[in-house]
Amino acid sequence: LSGPGIGGYRPSEMPALFKPLMEALQEGDFEKANEALLSSTLLQVPAEKTELVASMVRSNLAIWSIPRNFVQQLDQPAIGRLGELKMPILVLVGDQDLPNIREQAELIASQARKARLEVVPGGGHLLNLTSPAAFAGLVSEFLGHPIR
């Protein structure tokens, strides 16, 4: 898991990104929602990767427009069931990621039975883009074989 989110998690403090993003989505202004994401610290990457990230975010228009009645909420959110996870889990998070993302990574690592937390120095939310060598090395070691 890289920069994970947990169903049912409620941050102690809402990230600055949340208000403009939610306002844009409530207005149905998906371009504005994309710009809120792209201008936030959440998706900061090295300069040579910014166009790739912008392209990925702009391709999210289909996700923004999914009717809410198609999105089914779980009766028991994941946050209360982390202890049920029995498989080995590598939890990756950048030390520059948002505090609430780092907190969720720590929750998974502390509550899932076989979870291991790796905090990548200098890494952001998109670890494969902000810290590609560290990301590849940690994932390769976890899987037991090199990734490309």
Side-chain angles (χ1 to χ4, degrees):
L1 304 173
S2 182
I6 307 169
Y9 170 81
R10 300 281 181 252
S12 54
E13 185 177 320
M14 286 295 178
L17 156 70
F18 191 77
K19 185 178 180 191
L21 178 61
M22 289 299 108
E23 287 174 357
L25 291 174
Q26 288 170 349
E27 294 167 7
D29 189 340
F30 304 132
E31 282 299 322
K32 188 176 174 183
N34 287 344
E35 291 311 314
L37 279 171
L38 290 170
S39 65
S40 75
T41 59
L42 178 68
L43 301 182
Q44 285 183 339
V45 293
E48 67 273 9
K49 302 293 184 183
T50 55
E51 191 49 47
L52 171 64
V53 172
S55 173
M56 291 178 351
V57 168
R58 289 190 178 98
S59 69
N60 279 343
L61 288 178
I63 293 172
W64 296 138
S65 59
I66 294 173
R68 289 291 145 229
N69 60 332
F70 287 1
V71 181
Q72 193 173 24
Q73 298 298 317
L74 297 175
D75 292 334
Q76 297 177 7
I79 195 156
R81 299 180 298 130
L82 295 173
E84 297 172 21
L85 299 172
K86 298 174 186 168
M87 72 292 288
I89 302 169
L90 174 62
V91 183
L92 301 173
V93 69
D95 70 355
Q96 300 300 305
D97 205 339
L98 298 178
N100 68 309
I101 302 292
R102 293 193 314 266
E103 184 176 334
Q104 290 174 85
E106 291 165 2
L107 272 170
I108 294 167
S110 69
Q111 293 183 22
R113 296 177 189 183
K114 295 180 183 177
R116 180 178 112 211
L117 175 65
E118 293 287 347
V119 179
V120 177
H125 185 63
L126 302 175
L127 278 176
N128 60 321
L129 298 179
T130 63
S131 307
F135 178 86
L138 289 164
V139 172
S140 292
E141 183 263 325
F142 179 73
L143 297 175
H145 58 80
I147 61 169
R148 295 177 214 161

